Amino acid sequence: MTAISSSGGIMARRLSARLWQVAVTLFGLLLLTFFIGRVMPVDPVLSIVGPDADQSTYQQVYQQLGFDKPLWHQFIIWLGGLAQGDLGNALLTGRPVAQDILRVFPATLELATLAIVIGAGLGIPLGVMAAARRNGALDYVVRIISLAGYSTPIFWVGMMGLLVFYAWLGWVGGAGRLDMSLDGAVPTRSGLIVLDALLAGNMEVLRSALNHLILPAALLGFHSLAYISRMTRSFMLAQLSQEFIITARVKGLTERQVIWNHAFRNILVQLLTVVALAYGSLLEGAVLIETVFSWPGFGSWLTGSLLLGDMNAVMGGVLVVGIIFVTLNLLSDMLYQLFDPRTRS
């Protein structure tokens, strides 16, 4: 009983320390982003009033936005609004930033989720088999795929994908999330078109959504596959050189049992972190694919806001990105402790 209480106390202290680190990290990220945004050469006031506005109109909007106050005062005002759940209004749409994020984020979530399923679903077994057949034909193929996925610009791959699979072969849908004729055909419940189509029982919209989703998701999945397969291969090679693997083979276990039941089981915890970080990168880094495919997602919205100098939107987007990565890291740490008893002491 004492041991259980002690273990629980240790985990509680670790969680408390981790949450404190999370708070400090997010605060530092917001502080840095805020001050960098304020010294950018883009003038958000001009984005609102236009270049032909007179000086009095410009000055009025300038004061309404609070730009006449010191930077530290502006930051405190923004933090006060954040504490009340107010991220301010976006300059581009005039709506609350939180509403804009809720509107655009499901599109990226849908795209990134299918991409990580493809990337991890193919990358992990390919990495395992490449390590098991080191310096064999499959190993060289996997290493070439990993190199291609890392070195090929994603926007070029996206344009080539559209040219080949949409323009030439006609196998997939083009830009956007749906055929234009089906826009608004199902009520928006979750923002995930595939799920909304299933809930509405509209198979035509479902087919169109999947037809538009599969190519950008596959290309993003290929990019994450390169990273995941390379890391899986590296982890497996380290395990396959251990003495317990030699012992397992001496005992007469089949190669399949040695690889999957012994070596692969030991890298599961490491792979959890790799997949989590890859997923986080897809959620905030799908900007180029979203641009090529005119995908109305979070990445393209955040980029447009940054170019416009809309710091309310940028700060809200940075906060979301920070929360995503911090949450995924926190979940990875918790899973580490769940699957690896050595980390609990």
Side-chain angles (χ1 to χ4, degrees):
M1 191 72 176
T2 305
I4 295 176
S5 301
S6 177
S7 177
I10 291 173
M11 291 187 66
R13 286 194 296 272
R14 284 185 175 179
L15 181 60
S16 177
R18 187 64 172 155
L19 289 176
W20 173 249
Q21 293 174 3
V22 165
V24 172
T25 300
L26 287 177
F27 179 81
L29 180 64
L30 291 175
L31 182 65
L32 183 63
T33 305
F34 183 86
F35 284 101
I36 290 178
R38 285 297 188 261
V39 299
M40 285 177 59
V42 179
D43 189 346
V45 178
L46 283 179
S47 301
I48 298 175
V49 302
D52 298 326
D54 55 47
Q55 185 62 30
S56 62
T57 302
Y58 178 93
Q59 198 63 31
Q60 181 181 359
V61 174
Y62 186 86
Q63 292 177 356
Q64 287 177 352
L65 293 176
F67 291 159
D68 57 325
K69 297 178 176 64
L71 288 180
W72 63 268
H73 194 185
Q74 296 179 39
F75 184 63
I76 289 176
I77 292 174
W78 187 86
L79 284 180
L82 176 62
Q84 301 175 14
D86 181 14
L87 297 174
N89 291 332
L91 300 182
L92 186 62
T93 63
R95 293 190 294 264
V97 171
Q99 287 186 14
D100 279 352
I101 292 175
L102 289 174
R103 176 178 56 85
V104 299
F105 192 76
T108 298
L109 180 64
E110 190 172 47
L111 181 62
T113 300
L114 181 56
I116 198 62
V117 168
I118 294 172
L122 295 177
I124 291 175
L126 283 175
V128 171
M129 291 186 291
R133 296 166 175 80
R134 186 177 187 180
N135 295 327
L138 180 61
D139 186 23
Y140 284 115
V141 169
V142 172
R143 287 156 69 180
I144 291 172
I145 291 174
S146 298
L147 179 62
Y150 258 92
S151 59
T152 308
I154 190 68
F155 68 88
W156 182 85
V157 175
M159 290 188 292
M160 291 300 102
L162 276 175
L163 180 64
V164 174
F165 296 105
Y166 170 64
W168 290 355
L169 300 176
W171 289 356
V172 298
R177 300 178 72 190
L178 278 176
D179 293 336
M180 293 183 64
S181 60
L182 297 175
D183 191 25
V186 295
T188 301
R189 299 178 183 177
S190 64
L192 309 173
I193 290 186
V194 172
L195 179 58
D196 289 343
L198 284 172
L199 292 174
N202 193 321
M203 293 299 104
E204 185 181 6
V205 173
L206 177 62
R207 284 192 295 270
S208 177
L210 291 174
N211 204 30
H212 284 75
L213 176 63
I214 187 62
L215 182 58
L219 296 178
L220 276 178
F222 171 68
H223 187 70
S224 63
L225 179 152
Y227 171 63
I228 293 172
S229 63
R230 185 168 66 91
M231 297 304 295
T232 304
R233 178 183 179 275
S234 177
F235 295 153
M236 283 294 295
L237 288 176
Q239 290 298 317
L240 291 174
S241 63
Q242 300 295 319
E243 291 184 0
F244 76 93
I245 295 295
I246 299 174
T247 304
R249 285 170 173 157
V250 170
K251 288 181 177 179
L253 296 179
T254 64
E255 192 66 14
R256 181 183 181 85
Q257 290 175 318
V258 170
I259 292 171
W260 292 102
N261 295 346
H262 289 72
F264 180 71
R265 184 176 296 178
N266 276 4
I267 70 168
L268 270 176
V269 178
Q270 295 169 292
L271 282 181
L272 286 172
T273 302
V274 169
V275 174
L277 292 178
Y279 187 44
S281 297
L282 290 176
L283 285 172
E284 60 89 19
V287 177
L288 294 176
I289 280 292
E290 289 184 358
T291 302
V292 171
F293 284 86
S294 298
W295 196 265
F298 177 74
S300 57
W301 171 83
L302 184 57
T303 303
S305 301
L306 182 61
L307 295 176
L308 187 64
D310 185 355
M311 288 312 299
N312 283 338
V314 171
M315 292 289 288
V318 167
L319 180 63
V320 169
V321 170
I323 289 174
I324 288 172
F325 271 98
V326 166
T327 302
L328 289 174
N329 273 304
L330 188 60
L331 287 175
S332 298
D333 287 346
M334 295 172 64
L335 290 173
Y336 256 99
Q337 295 185 20
L338 179 64
F339 289 108
D340 191 348
R342 295 171 298 180
T343 62
R344 301 175 194 167
S345 57

